[in-house]
Amino acid sequence: MKWDEVTAREIEMKLRKASTWKTLGPDAVCNFWLKVLTSLHKDLAMSKNYLCMHPKHTPHWLTTGKTMLLLKSEPASYPKNYRPITCLPTTYKLYMGIDADRVYSHLEENSIMAVEQKGNKRKSYGTKDHLLLKS
């Protein structure tokens, strides 16, 4: 798979799909600001390209999440009634989303995704598709 540099346009398109007011990660950056401050898109693309070429220069904050425990059910005194949720940095989610889109496109264009992989296929119901096909 040939790697093309990430463009400001890709950043813009990925941010259009992003939820505006999701819970903040350790970077404390809201998608709203990334969407509105379009002059940053070129710099975000340059930063992503730099990190792809020099992964050892990835800042620690970019790959560190903030984990919280959410109560699933009462009573709150039992640890088993909690589930952990990790909020990742907005920038990390943006960059990984672009990578995921590119890998998915590559798999689709070259017909190398197994037919059985419905769980990862877009516009698919995953297990429900398999159950309907087998019945």
Side-chain angles (χ1 to χ4, degrees):
M1 179 173 153
K2 182 181 177 290
W3 180 262
D4 293 323
E5 288 196 341
V6 173
T7 64
R9 178 79 175 141
E10 273 183 285
I11 297 285
E12 178 188 348
M13 296 308 294
K14 194 66 189 170
L15 285 170
R16 280 188 186 176
K17 296 178 189 176
S19 298
T20 304
W21 299 109
K22 278 202 148 195
T23 303
L24 303 179
D27 59 355
V29 176
C30 187
N31 280 334
F32 171 80
W33 295 112
L34 294 178
K35 289 179 177 188
V36 172
L37 300 172
T38 56
S39 60
L40 291 177
H41 294 178
K42 184 178 176 185
D43 293 325
L44 286 167
M46 286 182 0
S47 173
K48 170 64 173 154
N49 293 325
Y50 178 80
L51 293 176
C52 287
M53 300 306 288
H54 309 283
K56 291 192 186 282
H57 293 137
T58 303
H60 188 262
W61 65 264
L62 185 63
T63 58
T64 303
K66 181 172 70 176
T67 303
M68 297 173 281
L69 294 174
L70 296 181
L71 184 63
K72 292 189 294 184
S73 59
E74 295 290 337
S77 57
Y78 293 114
K80 70 177 184 174
N81 292 340
Y82 289 87
R83 68 178 177 92
I85 183 167
T86 302
C87 298
L88 297 167
T90 307
T91 313
Y92 176 83
K93 291 188 278 189
L94 171 65
Y95 289 168
M96 292 305 106
I98 290 170
D99 289 349
D101 288 348
R102 286 178 169 209
V103 169
Y104 188 85
S105 295
H106 176 75
L107 295 174
E108 284 285 300
E109 289 167 8
N110 295 291
S111 301
I112 53 179
M113 186 182 294
V115 179
E116 298 82 17
Q117 292 298 320
K118 292 282 188 181
N120 295 327
K121 191 162 178 66
R122 293 180 181 162
K123 298 179 184 172
S124 167
Y125 292 104
T127 306
K128 293 174 187 167
D129 278 0
H130 280 293
L131 290 173
L132 290 172
L133 291 173
K134 291 184 179 190
S135 49

